[in-house]
């Protein structure tokens, strides 16, 4: 089986795994106060799908370009860590009712994105550029979670 299919399957499992564990339609989450300017919440799932596709393509490129010398297991572990931290955001926030925990998971994933984008640049500039959507959205998502904490002091922990 080609590595690209394995990477895609693992990526999809992690992406949908977080969604299957919980639902952001949970009444507790839906009743949280949000900033007045957050009028585009309905497109956030599509933003994450785009980001996830970019990261998956980046991982495939890195694997295929570096597999000629040695398989980049450490880099793939970092891709997996980003995916895992991203996919546990919703279960942490909704199931554990911890906006703080979600902010930490999202912030760590974003930090790893910056590090990994830097590490893969010598292997493939294209793979590195594919981190850009996450690199832009990650800080915003972390900030938005921080705002939710500020707006929902009694509900957030």
């Amino acid at each position: 089986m080609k590595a690209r299919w394995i990477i895609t399957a693992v990526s999809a499992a992690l992406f949908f795994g977080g969604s299957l564990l919980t639902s952001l339609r949970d009444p507790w989450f839906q009743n949280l106060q949000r900033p007045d300017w957050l009028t585009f919440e309905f497109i956030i799932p599509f933003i994450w799908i785009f980001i996830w596709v970019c990261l998956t393509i980046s991982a495939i490129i890195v694997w295929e370009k570096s597999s000629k010398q040695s398989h980049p297991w450490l880099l793939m572990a970092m891709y997996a860590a980003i995916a895992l931290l991203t996919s546990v955001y919703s279960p942490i926030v909704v199931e554990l009712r911890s906006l703080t925990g979600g902010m930490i998971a999202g912030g760590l994933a974003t930090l790893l994105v910056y590090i990994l984008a830097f590490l893969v640049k010598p292997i493939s500039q294209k793979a590195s550029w594919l981190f850009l959507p996450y690199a832009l959205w990650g800080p915003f998502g972390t900030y938005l979670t921080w705002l939710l904490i500020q707006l929902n002091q009694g509900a957030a922990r």
Side-chain angles (χ1 to χ4, degrees):
M1 186 179 293
K2 287 205 169 229
R4 68 179 49 197
W5 294 112
I6 294 169
I7 292 169
T8 302
V10 169
S11 178
L14 286 169
F15 180 77
F16 291 113
S19 300
L20 294 175
L21 293 174
T22 191
S23 171
L24 292 177
R25 294 179 193 262
D26 180 85
W28 174 83
F29 184 75
Q30 289 300 313
N31 288 325
L32 292 175
Q33 277 198 358
R34 286 154 171 73
D36 293 336
W37 51 262
L38 186 61
T39 58
F40 56 89
E41 193 170 4
F42 66 97
I43 66 166
I44 291 175
F46 300 104
I47 292 169
W48 276 113
I49 290 169
F50 177 72
I51 289 170
W52 210 272
V53 168
C54 288
L55 287 182
T56 302
I57 294 168
S58 175
I60 291 168
I61 291 168
V62 167
W63 181 268
E64 290 178 349
K65 289 215 178 231
S66 56
S67 64
K68 292 176 179 78
Q69 300 114 17
S70 65
H71 294 295
W73 294 106
L74 179 60
L75 297 176
M76 291 301 116
M78 290 180 71
Y79 276 101
I82 291 166
L84 189 60
L85 285 166
T86 304
S87 66
V88 298
Y89 173 89
S90 295
I92 289 171
V93 168
V94 175
E95 300 303 323
L96 300 179
R97 305 223 186 298
S98 177
L99 290 168
T100 302
M103 185 179 70
I104 291 168
L108 285 173
T110 301
L111 180 62
L112 283 176
V113 161
Y114 293 132
I115 293 168
L116 190 55
F118 177 76
L119 292 174
V120 304
K121 190 175 182 201
I123 298 168
S124 167
Q125 284 197 343
K126 182 178 180 181
S128 185
W129 278 107
L130 285 166
F131 282 100
L132 186 60
Y134 202 126
L136 295 173
W137 183 259
F140 175 76
T142 302
Y143 170 72
L144 182 57
T145 305
W146 178 82
L147 272 180
L148 290 176
I149 292 168
Q150 304 312 305
L151 292 171
N152 299 279
Q153 290 289 326
R157 40 177 187 115

